[in-house]
PDB file of all heavy atoms in Angstrom:
ATOM      1  N   LYS A  10      -4.295 -17.739   7.386  1.00  0.00           N
ATOM      2  CA  LYS A  10      -4.498 -18.651   6.258  1.00  0.00           C
ATOM      3  C   LYS A  10      -5.620 -19.635   6.557  1.00  0.00           C
ATOM      4  O   LYS A  10      -5.767 -20.103   7.682  1.00  0.00           O
ATOM      5  CB  LYS A  10      -3.215 -19.430   5.971  1.00  0.00           C
ATOM      6  CG  LYS A  10      -2.032 -18.566   5.629  1.00  0.00           C
ATOM      7  CD  LYS A  10      -0.818 -19.441   5.421  1.00  0.00           C
ATOM      8  CE  LYS A  10       0.443 -18.637   5.279  1.00  0.00           C
ATOM      9  NZ  LYS A  10       1.597 -19.500   5.052  1.00  0.00           N
ATOM     10  N   PHE A  11      -6.378 -19.967   5.507  1.00  0.00           N
ATOM     11  CA  PHE A  11      -7.476 -20.911   5.598  1.00  0.00           C
ATOM     12  C   PHE A  11      -7.323 -21.958   4.504  1.00  0.00           C
ATOM     13  O   PHE A  11      -7.136 -21.601   3.333  1.00  0.00           O
ATOM     14  CB  PHE A  11      -8.828 -20.200   5.438  1.00  0.00           C
ATOM     15  CG  PHE A  11      -9.027 -19.081   6.407  1.00  0.00           C
ATOM     16  CD1 PHE A  11      -8.767 -17.768   6.040  1.00  0.00           C
ATOM     17  CD2 PHE A  11      -9.464 -19.335   7.687  1.00  0.00           C
ATOM     18  CE1 PHE A  11      -8.953 -16.727   6.932  1.00  0.00           C
ATOM     19  CE2 PHE A  11      -9.643 -18.305   8.591  1.00  0.00           C
ATOM     20  CZ  PHE A  11      -9.390 -17.000   8.214  1.00  0.00           C
ATOM     21  N   ALA A  12      -7.391 -23.213   4.859  1.00  0.00           N
ATOM     22  CA  ALA A  12      -7.371 -24.335   3.909  1.00  0.00           C
ATOM     23  C   ALA A  12      -6.149 -24.317   2.994  1.00  0.00           C
ATOM     24  O   ALA A  12      -6.225 -24.780   1.863  1.00  0.00           O
ATOM     25  CB  ALA A  12      -8.657 -24.344   3.081  1.00  0.00           C
ATOM     26  N   LYS A  13      -5.032 -23.778   3.469  1.00  0.00           N
ATOM     27  CA  LYS A  13      -3.772 -23.704   2.715  1.00  0.00           C
ATOM     28  C   LYS A  13      -3.916 -23.057   1.343  1.00  0.00           C
ATOM     29  O   LYS A  13      -3.047 -23.188   0.498  1.00  0.00           O
ATOM     30  CB  LYS A  13      -3.151 -25.092   2.558  1.00  0.00           C
ATOM     31  CG  LYS A  13      -2.750 -25.711   3.868  1.00  0.00           C
ATOM     32  CD  LYS A  13      -2.024 -27.011   3.662  1.00  0.00           C
ATOM     33  CE  LYS A  13      -1.638 -27.603   4.994  1.00  0.00           C
ATOM     34  NZ  LYS A  13      -0.853 -28.798   4.865  1.00  0.00           N
ATOM     35  N   LEU A  14      -5.014 -22.352   1.113  1.00  0.00           N
ATOM     36  CA  LEU A  14      -5.265 -21.734  -0.184  1.00  0.00           C
ATOM     37  C   LEU A  14      -5.653 -20.268  -0.045  1.00  0.00           C
ATOM     38  O   LEU A  14      -5.155 -19.425  -0.774  1.00  0.00           O
ATOM     39  CB  LEU A  14      -6.373 -22.521  -0.909  1.00  0.00           C
ATOM     40  CG  LEU A  14      -6.765 -22.081  -2.295  1.00  0.00           C
ATOM     41  CD1 LEU A  14      -5.618 -22.315  -3.268  1.00  0.00           C
ATOM     42  CD2 LEU A  14      -7.998 -22.834  -2.755  1.00  0.00           C
ATOM     43  N   PHE A  15      -6.525 -19.956   0.898  1.00  0.00           N
ATOM     44  CA  PHE A  15      -7.049 -18.607   1.067  1.00  0.00           C
ATOM     45  C   PHE A  15      -6.412 -17.928   2.277  1.00  0.00           C
ATOM     46  O   PHE A  15      -5.981 -18.591   3.213  1.00  0.00           O
ATOM     47  CB  PHE A  15      -8.568 -18.642   1.264  1.00  0.00           C
ATOM     48  CG  PHE A  15      -9.294 -19.264   0.119  1.00  0.00           C
ATOM     49  CD1 PHE A  15      -9.807 -20.543   0.232  1.00  0.00           C
ATOM     50  CD2 PHE A  15      -9.464 -18.579  -1.064  1.00  0.00           C
ATOM     51  CE1 PHE A  15     -10.479 -21.138  -0.820  1.00  0.00           C
ATOM     52  CE2 PHE A  15     -10.126 -19.167  -2.122  1.00  0.00           C
ATOM     53  CZ  PHE A  15     -10.641 -20.449  -2.005  1.00  0.00           C
ATOM     54  N   SER A  16      -6.415 -16.598   2.261  1.00  0.00           N
ATOM     55  CA  SER A  16      -5.891 -15.853   3.404  1.00  0.00           C
ATOM     56  C   SER A  16      -6.561 -14.492   3.494  1.00  0.00           C
ATOM     57  O   SER A  16      -7.093 -13.970   2.504  1.00  0.00           O
ATOM     58  CB  SER A  16      -4.373 -15.671   3.276  1.00  0.00           C
ATOM     59  OG  SER A  16      -4.064 -14.897   2.144  1.00  0.00           O
ATOM     60  N   VAL A  17      -6.538 -13.939   4.698  1.00  0.00           N
ATOM     61  CA  VAL A  17      -6.915 -12.548   4.920  1.00  0.00           C
ATOM     62  C   VAL A  17      -5.722 -11.881   5.599  1.00  0.00           C
ATOM     63  O   VAL A  17      -4.937 -12.549   6.282  1.00  0.00           O
ATOM     64  CB  VAL A  17      -8.201 -12.395   5.765  1.00  0.00           C
ATOM     65  CG1 VAL A  17      -9.393 -12.916   5.009  1.00  0.00           C
ATOM     66  CG2 VAL A  17      -8.071 -13.068   7.112  1.00  0.00           C
ATOM     67  N   GLU A  18      -5.574 -10.574   5.392  1.00  0.00           N
ATOM     68  CA  GLU A  18      -4.410  -9.871   5.913  1.00  0.00           C
ATOM     69  C   GLU A  18      -4.797  -8.467   6.354  1.00  0.00           C
ATOM     70  O   GLU A  18      -5.718  -7.871   5.793  1.00  0.00           O
ATOM     71  CB  GLU A  18      -3.313  -9.818   4.850  1.00  0.00           C
ATOM     72  CG  GLU A  18      -3.767  -9.163   3.554  1.00  0.00           C
ATOM     73  CD  GLU A  18      -2.891  -9.477   2.357  1.00  0.00           C
ATOM     74  OE1 GLU A  18      -2.370 -10.597   2.258  1.00  0.00           O
ATOM     75  OE2 GLU A  18      -2.754  -8.575   1.516  1.00  0.00           O
ATOM     76  N   ALA A  19      -4.083  -7.968   7.348  1.00  0.00           N
ATOM     77  CA  ALA A  19      -4.323  -6.613   7.834  1.00  0.00           C
ATOM     78  C   ALA A  19      -3.074  -6.122   8.552  1.00  0.00           C
ATOM     79  O   ALA A  19      -2.317  -6.917   9.115  1.00  0.00           O
ATOM     80  CB  ALA A  19      -5.516  -6.580   8.772  1.00  0.00           C
ATOM     81  N   GLY A  20      -2.881  -4.803   8.519  1.00  0.00           N
ATOM     82  CA  GLY A  20      -1.755  -4.222   9.230  1.00  0.00           C
ATOM     83  C   GLY A  20      -1.468  -2.812   8.778  1.00  0.00           C
ATOM     84  O   GLY A  20      -2.156  -2.253   7.912  1.00  0.00           O
ATOM     85  N   PRO A  21      -0.417  -2.215   9.327  1.00  0.00           N
ATOM     86  CA  PRO A  21      -0.045  -0.852   8.949  1.00  0.00           C
ATOM     87  C   PRO A  21       0.778  -0.822   7.663  1.00  0.00           C
ATOM     88  O   PRO A  21       1.388  -1.818   7.272  1.00  0.00           O
ATOM     89  CB  PRO A  21       0.811  -0.391  10.129  1.00  0.00           C
ATOM     90  CG  PRO A  21       1.450  -1.660  10.608  1.00  0.00           C
ATOM     91  CD  PRO A  21       0.418  -2.730  10.410  1.00  0.00           C
ATOM     92  N   GLN A  22       0.756   0.333   7.021  1.00  0.00           N
ATOM     93  CA  GLN A  22       1.599   0.569   5.840  1.00  0.00           C
ATOM     94  C   GLN A  22       2.283   1.916   6.023  1.00  0.00           C
ATOM     95  O   GLN A  22       1.632   2.918   6.305  1.00  0.00           O
ATOM     96  CB  GLN A  22       0.761   0.570   4.568  1.00  0.00           C
ATOM     97  CG  GLN A  22       1.561   0.924   3.332  1.00  0.00           C
ATOM     98  CD  GLN A  22       0.755   0.782   2.058  1.00  0.00           C
ATOM     99  OE1 GLN A  22       0.639  -0.301   1.535  1.00  0.00           O
ATOM    100  NE2 GLN A  22       0.193   1.883   1.589  1.00  0.00           N
ATOM    101  N   PHE A  23       3.592   1.918   5.840  1.00  0.00           N
ATOM    102  CA  PHE A  23       4.390   3.125   5.976  1.00  0.00           C
ATOM    103  C   PHE A  23       4.819   3.563   4.580  1.00  0.00           C
ATOM    104  O   PHE A  23       5.461   2.796   3.869  1.00  0.00           O
ATOM    105  CB  PHE A  23       5.604   2.847   6.868  1.00  0.00           C
ATOM    106  CG  PHE A  23       5.223   2.217   8.179  1.00  0.00           C
ATOM    107  CD1 PHE A  23       5.284   0.838   8.344  1.00  0.00           C
ATOM    108  CD2 PHE A  23       4.772   3.002   9.219  1.00  0.00           C
ATOM    109  CE1 PHE A  23       4.913   0.252   9.544  1.00  0.00           C
ATOM    110  CE2 PHE A  23       4.396   2.418  10.432  1.00  0.00           C
ATOM    111  CZ  PHE A  23       4.458   1.049  10.588  1.00  0.00           C
ATOM    112  N   GLY A  24       4.454   4.781   4.181  1.00  0.00           N
ATOM    113  CA  GLY A  24       4.754   5.258   2.835  1.00  0.00           C
ATOM    114  C   GLY A  24       5.674   6.465   2.854  1.00  0.00           C
ATOM    115  O   GLY A  24       5.551   7.348   3.710  1.00  0.00           O
ATOM    116  N   PHE A  25       6.596   6.483   1.892  1.00  0.00           N
ATOM    117  CA  PHE A  25       7.551   7.570   1.764  1.00  0.00           C
ATOM    118  C   PHE A  25       7.461   8.129   0.344  1.00  0.00           C
ATOM    119  O   PHE A  25       7.673   7.398  -0.621  1.00  0.00           O
ATOM    120  CB  PHE A  25       8.966   7.063   2.063  1.00  0.00           C
ATOM    121  CG  PHE A  25       9.081   6.447   3.430  1.00  0.00           C
ATOM    122  CD1 PHE A  25       8.858   5.089   3.618  1.00  0.00           C
ATOM    123  CD2 PHE A  25       9.372   7.237   4.528  1.00  0.00           C
ATOM    124  CE1 PHE A  25       8.938   4.522   4.881  1.00  0.00           C
ATOM    125  CE2 PHE A  25       9.449   6.673   5.795  1.00  0.00           C
ATOM    126  CZ  PHE A  25       9.229   5.319   5.978  1.00  0.00           C
ATOM    127  N   VAL A  26       7.160   9.424   0.214  1.00  0.00           N
ATOM    128  CA  VAL A  26       7.008  10.048  -1.105  1.00  0.00           C
ATOM    129  C   VAL A  26       8.354  10.072  -1.815  1.00  0.00           C
ATOM    130  O   VAL A  26       9.360  10.508  -1.254  1.00  0.00           O
ATOM    131  CB  VAL A  26       6.451  11.482  -0.978  1.00  0.00           C
ATOM    132  CG1 VAL A  26       6.442  12.183  -2.334  1.00  0.00           C
ATOM    133  CG2 VAL A  26       5.056  11.461  -0.388  1.00  0.00           C
ATOM    134  N   VAL A  27       8.360   9.597  -3.062  1.00  0.00           N
ATOM    135  CA  VAL A  27       9.583   9.618  -3.864  1.00  0.00           C
ATOM    136  C   VAL A  27       9.419  10.476  -5.109  1.00  0.00           C
ATOM    137  O   VAL A  27      10.407  10.827  -5.745  1.00  0.00           O
ATOM    138  CB  VAL A  27      10.045   8.194  -4.260  1.00  0.00           C
ATOM    139  CG1 VAL A  27      10.494   7.419  -3.031  1.00  0.00           C
ATOM    140  CG2 VAL A  27       8.972   7.436  -5.017  1.00  0.00           C
ATOM    141  N   ASN A  28       8.174  10.834  -5.456  1.00  0.00           N
ATOM    142  CA  ASN A  28       7.942  11.625  -6.658  1.00  0.00           C
ATOM    143  C   ASN A  28       6.544  12.243  -6.581  1.00  0.00           C
ATOM    144  O   ASN A  28       5.599  11.580  -6.165  1.00  0.00           O
ATOM    145  CB  ASN A  28       8.048  10.727  -7.897  1.00  0.00           C
ATOM    146  CG  ASN A  28       7.881  11.495  -9.181  1.00  0.00           C
ATOM    147  OD1 ASN A  28       8.405  12.585  -9.335  1.00  0.00           O
ATOM    148  ND2 ASN A  28       7.129  10.935 -10.113  1.00  0.00           N
ATOM    149  N   ASP A  29       6.435  13.503  -6.967  1.00  0.00           N
ATOM    150  CA  ASP A  29       5.113  14.118  -7.108  1.00  0.00           C
ATOM    151  C   ASP A  29       5.177  15.231  -8.138  1.00  0.00           C
ATOM    152  O   ASP A  29       6.255  15.694  -8.486  1.00  0.00           O
ATOM    153  CB  ASP A  29       4.571  14.637  -5.765  1.00  0.00           C
ATOM    154  CG  ASP A  29       5.328  15.850  -5.245  1.00  0.00           C
ATOM    155  OD1 ASP A  29       5.461  16.842  -5.979  1.00  0.00           O
ATOM    156  OD2 ASP A  29       5.774  15.816  -4.076  1.00  0.00           O
ATOM    157  N   ASN A  30       4.018  15.616  -8.634  1.00  0.00           N
ATOM    158  CA  ASN A  30       3.954  16.710  -9.602  1.00  0.00           C
ATOM    159  C   ASN A  30       3.052  17.832  -9.100  1.00  0.00           C
ATOM    160  O   ASN A  30       2.381  18.487  -9.882  1.00  0.00           O
ATOM    161  CB  ASN A  30       3.471  16.194 -10.961  1.00  0.00           C
ATOM    162  CG  ASN A  30       1.998  15.828 -10.966  1.00  0.00           C
ATOM    163  OD1 ASN A  30       1.413  15.582  -9.914  1.00  0.00           O
ATOM    164  ND2 ASN A  30       1.393  15.793 -12.136  1.00  0.00           N
ATOM    165  N   LEU A  31       3.060  18.082  -7.798  1.00  0.00           N
ATOM    166  CA  LEU A  31       2.172  19.094  -7.230  1.00  0.00           C
ATOM    167  C   LEU A  31       2.462  20.491  -7.743  1.00  0.00           C
ATOM    168  O   LEU A  31       1.542  21.281  -7.940  1.00  0.00           O
ATOM    169  CB  LEU A  31       2.255  19.083  -5.707  1.00  0.00           C
ATOM    170  CG  LEU A  31       1.590  17.901  -5.027  1.00  0.00           C
ATOM    171  CD1 LEU A  31       1.691  18.043  -3.530  1.00  0.00           C
ATOM    172  CD2 LEU A  31       0.157  17.770  -5.439  1.00  0.00           C
ATOM    173  N   ASP A  32       3.723  20.834  -7.943  1.00  0.00           N
ATOM    174  CA  ASP A  32       4.049  22.171  -8.450  1.00  0.00           C
ATOM    175  C   ASP A  32       3.382  22.427  -9.791  1.00  0.00           C
ATOM    176  O   ASP A  32       2.848  23.504 -10.045  1.00  0.00           O
ATOM    177  CB  ASP A  32       5.562  22.347  -8.573  1.00  0.00           C
ATOM    178  CG  ASP A  32       6.253  22.380  -7.221  1.00  0.00           C
ATOM    179  OD1 ASP A  32       5.583  22.714  -6.217  1.00  0.00           O
ATOM    180  OD2 ASP A  32       7.443  22.058  -7.160  1.00  0.00           O
ATOM    181  N   THR A  33       3.384  21.436 -10.649  1.00  0.00           N
ATOM    182  CA  THR A  33       2.750  21.556 -11.965  1.00  0.00           C
ATOM    183  C   THR A  33       1.233  21.552 -11.835  1.00  0.00           C
ATOM    184  O   THR A  33       0.541  22.368 -12.436  1.00  0.00           O
ATOM    185  CB  THR A  33       3.190  20.400 -12.886  1.00  0.00           C
ATOM    186  OG1 THR A  33       4.608  20.393 -12.944  1.00  0.00           O
ATOM    187  CG2 THR A  33       2.609  20.543 -14.268  1.00  0.00           C
ATOM    188  N   ALA A  34       0.682  20.641 -11.039  1.00  0.00           N
ATOM    189  CA  ALA A  34      -0.765  20.484 -10.919  1.00  0.00           C
ATOM    190  C   ALA A  34      -1.434  21.697 -10.284  1.00  0.00           C
ATOM    191  O   ALA A  34      -2.550  22.056 -10.644  1.00  0.00           O
ATOM    192  CB  ALA A  34      -1.084  19.227 -10.115  1.00  0.00           C
ATOM    193  N   PHE A  35      -0.762  22.347  -9.319  1.00  0.00           N
ATOM    194  CA  PHE A  35      -1.360  23.466  -8.599  1.00  0.00           C
ATOM    195  C   PHE A  35      -0.782  24.818  -9.027  1.00  0.00           C
ATOM    196  O   PHE A  35      -1.048  25.818  -8.371  1.00  0.00           O
ATOM    197  CB  PHE A  35      -1.174  23.291  -7.088  1.00  0.00           C
ATOM    198  CG  PHE A  35      -2.072  22.250  -6.493  1.00  0.00           C
ATOM    199  CD1 PHE A  35      -1.623  20.951  -6.305  1.00  0.00           C
ATOM    200  CD2 PHE A  35      -3.365  22.561  -6.129  1.00  0.00           C
ATOM    201  CE1 PHE A  35      -2.435  19.991  -5.746  1.00  0.00           C
ATOM    202  CE2 PHE A  35      -4.198  21.603  -5.578  1.00  0.00           C
ATOM    203  CZ  PHE A  35      -3.730  20.312  -5.390  1.00  0.00           C
TER     204      PHE A  35
END
């Protein structure tokens, strides 16, 4: 955080598929 107003952020993200339409698309 900078000046109690602005911030920068970074890190990992873990994603889990809950829905897709690949069978239809391909």
Side-chain angles (χ1 to χ4, degrees):
K10 300 178 189 181
F11 305 97
K13 296 186 180 184
L14 182 67
F15 301 105
S16 63
V17 293
E18 57 198 35
Q22 175 174 277
F23 308 96
F25 303 90
V26 174
V27 293
N28 183 42
D29 70 54
N30 72 339
L31 287 182
D32 292 336
T33 305
F35 286 96

